[in-house]
Amino acid sequence: MYSYDYTPVRVCPRNIPRNIHVDLSDDGNTIEGVRFDGGCNGNTKAVAILVKDKPVDEIISLLKGNQCGTRGTSCADQLTIALAEARTAAQASK
């Protein structure tokens, strides 16, 4: 398993997710778990459940560009950045 922490940007100013923790398979292609520290509690818990055991590429294609209000991003969109960075780091660590 490969673990990665990402600090999201441009999300809810009052309830900023301070961290997105991602666990990927050793090859970096499958999501083993996600945890949001902060954000909309119910939504981020639901996203974490829905993406577990899914391919990174599938989740990136589904959630990339998802916007919350006028911020130009969202917790789900920030997750796609975290996943892409985590996969790159996991594959580089081999």
Side-chain angles (χ1 to χ4, degrees), residues 57-71:
D57 286 337
E58 177 184 336
I59 298 307
I60 289 174
S61 69
L62 285 171
L63 299 179
K64 186 175 178 87
N66 181 59
Q67 294 188 26
C68 181
T70 60
R71 292 178 184 86

Side-chain angles (χ1 to χ4, degrees), residues 9-90:
V9 296
R10 294 189 338 249
V11 290
C12 299
R14 294 182 332 181
N15 199 8
I16 297 172
R18 307 240 182 316
N19 189 32
I20 300 173
H21 179 80
V22 175
D23 292 323
L24 300 181
S25 58
D26 289 334
D27 65 5
N29 291 318
T30 304
I31 302 166
E32 293 189 0
V34 169
R35 185 184 73 245
F36 292 83
D37 295 330
C40 301
N41 190 37
N43 289 334
T44 56
K45 282 180 182 176
V47 168
I49 291 167
L50 292 169
V51 303
K52 185 174 172 39
D53 299 322
K54 298 286 193 277
V56 169
D57 286 337
E58 177 184 336
I59 298 307
I60 289 174
S61 69
L62 285 171
L63 299 179
K64 186 175 178 87
N66 181 59
Q67 294 188 26
C68 181
T70 60
R71 292 178 184 86
T73 191
S74 66
C75 293
D77 183 53
Q78 291 292 295
L79 174 60
T80 68
I81 297 167
L83 290 171
E85 288 184 9
R87 177 178 52 201
T88 299

